[in-house]
Amino acid sequence: MCETNHNPNIKLDKEGNCNTDEHKTWNRRSFLQALGLVGGGSMMLANTPLSVSRPSPLSIALSQSVNENILILVRLQGGNDGFNTIIPVYDYDVYANARPLIRIPPSEFINLNDDYAMPKPMNKLEGVWGEGQMKVVHGVGYESSSLSHFKGSDIYANTNLLEDDRTGFMGRYFGEIYPDYFFNPPPSPPSIQIGSIGNLVFKGPESDYSFAVSDPRRLLQIIENETFYNLDGVDENCTYGEKLRFLREATNTTFDYADVISAAYERSSAYEGYLDDSLGRQFSIISRLIKGGLGTKVYLVTLGGFDTHNNQTQRHQQLLTSFSEAISTFYADLTAAGWDDKVLSMTMSEFGRRFRENGSLGTDHGTAAPTMFFGTGLNGNGFVGEHPDLNNLTRGGNVTNTMDFRQVYATVMKDWLCIDEGLVGRSLLDSDGGPFESLDLGFNCSGTNPNIPTDGEGLTHIPTYSDSQTFINIVTPQTTHVDVALFNVVGQKVATLANEMLMEGVDMVINVKESANTRLSTGPYVYQIKTNNGDYSKSIIIS
């Protein structure tokens, strides 16, 4: 008999057994769609969103193949006024004439160099700048910028300038490296949103690759009161029984996932000095997760209130104070713990503000704005790109962007997170203009990725893609034996690609398909290089 309690939709045959036709057509993905879980990727337990989790061999291999670098996205929600954040001192007369009532006077400057300044409410960043932990990219935006909060936010998340798209650039990236994410996600969440849920940035074609939590201590409460479900006696020969078992497994593994995050939080200690405001609390949580060794690569925090149509001077200064206090304290915290060189923070906002003030002591929706970066990994302070021409405004009174926001994203993905250039292009929907050229932000993977060292202590290994072929390029600074193996999505070894001596300075180029000498399906794989001096690995794509 089939268990049908409280489920009028279960179909029985004349003998009261489960309908076998229904069983033939049912699959877990369609079931999850019916429950509204696919595309959301999270469940609500005790009002805290928790994602289903179960580590897979591929996920573990991938987690071992990347560097330790972490990215923090700092969303300035509402459209930050870049002109009153990074003040164009070099053209101050033009700036002051456009903003007679809301301009920042020279007496309120924190000079960054002869051409640019910050307002005094950002004074906590003066030391960050002085210590070489801050850079600014000028004029970030895109052509025909949307002035809608919703559309602008979507475009900065999905990078699609041509049509509506409900996937985000980081979601598409995670979708490629975790093809079976919902059933076999990585040991740690790929991304975490503090205090917000469901940002499009992390939305993939079939799942949301983020974990949203307002307070890790809530997770601890869930763990302490958890009830693991007994899987014995569940009849998997019945569709309803299979569904029931899956949901119980999902709930059980959810407790395990909550345990991972809570354990990382509890392994670290709080740093005194954060303001007791929204952004300060968000950064304090992230700091503890990082210091606790969680392993998550991308975090998102949000500071709202930047839609300053009126009374901008006071409101904007309060927001910039909160922002600068949080950033300054966060990096002081990380420095004390030895993490400051591994964590890069960058701002993002749906648009900038109009150059000229309006009649309500504020500014209206605009176009381009600066993107600010923070972290020791920047290797010095400075400005990148060209500032928009303040004397050449559009008919709507806006400046023209001088830096494509996708080029900023591409630089961070390629040179900080060390993602393959081809995968970066696919994630950013770069189908027309070829790869985005990297900006000089002071870091690159040849200097930051322990798997691609340049100090002579290891070997260089870089995947490349050409004519539907995948290649692995290997160079060693000293003669060594190399054993190169290929693993599939379930962690099984599928081929030995090379097993030989490699001479110092000789470039070994492996054509993966040819060397595998077996049929390879399209999709992600992981290669591992064993040498006399250590092991190296990285994910690749077979097309």
Side-chain angles (χ1 to χ4, degrees), residues 142-146 401:
Y142 55 94
E143 292 184 9
S144 303
S145 176
S146 172
N401 71 283

Side-chain angles (χ1 to χ4, degrees), residues 1-4 7 10 18 23 26 28 231 233-248:
M1 295 292 290
C2 174
E3 182 180 354
T4 61
N7 195 332
I10 298 297
C18 292
H23 183 74
W26 179 80
R28 289 188 175 191
L231 303 179
V234 178
D235 182 10
E236 292 190 67
N237 294 319
C238 167
T239 300
Y240 178 67
E242 190 175 352
K243 291 178 181 178
L244 178 63
R245 183 180 182 88
F246 169 67
L247 285 179
R248 288 184 176 181

Side-chain angles (χ1 to χ4, degrees), residues 200-229:
L200 190 60
V201 168
F202 305 114
K203 177 72 166 59
E206 295 188 356
S207 185
D208 191 318
Y209 296 90
S210 66
F211 187 104
V213 58
S214 59
D215 187 343
R217 287 170 292 190
R218 294 290 302 279
L219 301 183
L220 186 60
Q221 294 171 11
I222 294 170
I223 295 163
E224 291 173 345
N225 295 285
E226 66 192 12
T227 300
F228 281 89
Y229 289 93

Side-chain angles (χ1 to χ4, degrees), residues 63-129:
S63 70
Q64 295 170 345
S65 70
V66 295
N67 60 19
E68 293 183 306
N69 289 351
I70 294 169
L71 175 65
I72 315 294
L73 301 174
V74 186
R75 186 184 179 201
L76 307 180
Q77 187 175 16
N80 178 45
D81 181 11
F83 302 110
N84 276 19
T85 302
I86 303 297
I87 306 160
V89 178
Y90 74 95
D91 220 351
Y92 186 77
D93 289 344
V94 175
Y95 160 82
N97 287 334
R99 299 175 164 222
L101 299 177
I102 67 167
R103 70 181 186 273
I104 308 297
S107 60
E108 295 293 313
F109 284 0
I110 298 173
N111 290 307
L112 302 177
N113 61 17
D114 292 340
D115 293 328
Y116 302 100
M118 297 184 300
K120 279 190 175 178
M122 298 177 70
N123 67 311
K124 285 301 181 70
L125 292 181
E126 186 173 9
V128 176
W129 175 270

Side-chain angles (χ1 to χ4, degrees), residues 89-408:
V89 178
Y90 74 95
D91 220 351
Y92 186 77
D93 289 344
V94 175
Y95 160 82
N97 287 334
R99 299 175 164 222
L101 299 177
I102 67 167
R103 70 181 186 273
I104 308 297
S107 60
E108 295 293 313
F109 284 0
I110 298 173
N111 290 307
L112 302 177
N113 61 17
D114 292 340
D115 293 328
Y116 302 100
M118 297 184 300
K120 279 190 175 178
M122 298 177 70
N123 67 311
K124 285 301 181 70
L125 292 181
E126 186 173 9
V128 176
W129 175 270
E131 293 169 4
Q133 297 184 1
M134 177 179 176
K135 276 189 169 78
V136 178
V137 180
H138 290 307
V140 177
Y142 55 94
E143 292 184 9
S144 303
S145 176
S146 172
L147 302 184
S148 159
H149 287 294
F150 302 106
K151 182 68 172 178
S153 296
D154 284 353
I155 289 175
Y156 269 91
N158 64 35
T159 69
N160 195 332
L161 306 184
L162 301 178
E163 57 188 8
D164 291 337
D165 195 322
R166 299 312 299 169
T167 64
F169 72 100
M170 289 304 302
R172 291 189 289 267
Y173 161 63
F174 288 131
E176 284 212 23
I177 67 170
Y178 301 126
D180 58 346
Y181 173 78
F182 195 88
F183 301 104
N184 293 298
S188 302
S191 60
I192 286 183
Q193 304 175 57
I194 306 293
S196 62
I197 297 176
N199 190 283
L200 190 60
V201 168
F202 305 114
K203 177 72 166 59
E206 295 188 356
S207 185
D208 191 318
Y209 296 90
S210 66
F211 187 104
V213 58
S214 59
D215 187 343
R217 287 170 292 190
R218 294 290 302 279
L219 301 183
L220 186 60
Q221 294 171 11
I222 294 170
I223 295 163
E224 291 173 345
N225 295 285
E226 66 192 12
T227 300
F228 281 89
Y229 289 93
N230 186 1
L231 303 179
D232 296 336
V234 178
D235 182 10
E236 292 190 67
N237 294 319
C238 167
T239 300
Y240 178 67
E242 190 175 352
K243 291 178 181 178
L244 178 63
R245 183 180 182 88
F246 169 67
L247 285 179
R248 288 184 176 181
E249 287 178 336
T251 303
N252 288 347
T253 53
T254 292
F255 287 134
D256 291 336
Y257 216 12
D259 196 13
V260 170
I261 296 176
S262 180
Y265 185 79
E266 295 301 320
R267 277 195 300 267
S268 61
S269 58
Y271 182 86
E272 300 296 331
Y274 287 98
L275 289 182
D276 189 21
D277 61 11
S278 173
L279 194 61
R281 290 189 293 270
Q282 292 177 64
F283 270 110
S284 178
I285 291 172
I286 287 178
S287 168
R288 291 193 60 172
L289 296 178
I290 291 173
K291 292 185 298 184
L294 177 60
T296 291
K297 298 292 292 181
V298 185
Y299 293 85
L300 172 69
V301 298
T302 299
L303 178 61
F306 285 89
D307 195 20
T308 51
H309 288 283
N310 54 68
N311 191 28
Q312 174 171 309
T313 301
Q314 180 179 357
R315 293 171 57 196
H316 197 233
Q317 287 182 352
Q318 291 172 345
L319 291 168
L320 293 181
T321 296
S322 176
F323 170 75
S324 60
E325 286 270 2
I327 292 289
S328 174
T329 305
F330 181 56
Y331 278 96
D333 183 358
L334 294 179
T335 298
W339 277 92
D340 54 297
D341 62 333
K342 301 177 182 66
V343 182
L344 178 73
S345 300
M346 64 172 286
T347 61
M348 59 189 302
S349 194
E350 59 262 45
F351 44 63
R353 312 300 294 185
R354 202 154 297 180
F355 182 50
R356 297 190 180 97
E357 67 182 40
N358 58 26
S360 302
L361 298 179
T363 52
D364 297 326
H365 299 179
T367 52
T371 292
M372 293 175 281
F373 285 89
F374 303 94
T376 305
L378 294 166
N379 294 306
N381 60 37
F383 295 91
V384 178
E386 180 184 356
H387 195 278
D389 187 350
L390 303 181
N391 295 291
N392 185 22
L393 304 181
T394 66
R395 290 184 179 180
N398 282 308
V399 296
T400 300
N401 71 283
T402 56
M403 181 70 66
D404 191 315
F405 75 104
R406 295 169 297 176
Q407 187 174 0
V408 177

Side-chain angles (χ1 to χ4, degrees), residues 384-437:
V384 178
E386 180 184 356
H387 195 278
D389 187 350
L390 303 181
N391 295 291
N392 185 22
L393 304 181
T394 66
R395 290 184 179 180
N398 282 308
V399 296
T400 300
N401 71 283
T402 56
M403 181 70 66
D404 191 315
F405 75 104
R406 295 169 297 176
Q407 187 174 0
V408 177
Y409 289 175
T411 300
V412 172
M413 295 177 76
K414 288 188 297 183
D415 295 342
W416 182 255
L417 297 178
C418 299
I419 302 170
D420 173 75
E421 185 173 70
L423 179 50
V424 170
R426 293 191 296 275
S427 301
L428 296 177
L429 305 178
D430 180 27
S431 58
D432 298 325
F436 292 103
E437 182 179 353

Side-chain angles (χ1 to χ4, degrees), residues 444-458:
N444 59 72
C445 280
S446 62
T448 60
N449 188 343
N451 288 337
I452 313 178
T454 58
D455 56 7
E457 296 182 357

Side-chain angles (χ1 to χ4, degrees), residues 465-535:
Y465 303 86
S466 177
D467 298 327
S468 299
Q469 298 294 316
T470 302
F471 301 90
I472 304 172
N473 302 266
I474 305 173
V475 179
T476 177
Q478 59 187 25
T479 299
T480 184
H481 182 270
V482 294
D483 181 357
V484 186
L486 187 69
F487 296 84
N488 64 15
V489 295
V490 294
Q492 298 170 325
K493 181 178 177 180
V494 296
T496 295
L497 303 180
N499 187 2
E500 59 190 83
M501 293 296 296
L502 180 59
M503 305 304 291
E504 175 183 348
V506 175
D507 186 6
M508 172 185 282
V509 180
I510 300 174
N511 184 317
V512 176
K513 288 183 179 179
E514 290 182 0
S515 300
N517 198 28
T518 186
R519 183 179 179 276
L520 298 178
S521 301
T522 299
Y525 289 78
V526 172
Y527 68 80
Q528 182 181 61
I529 306 171
K530 290 183 175 292
T531 74
N532 298 335
N533 301 315
D535 298 342

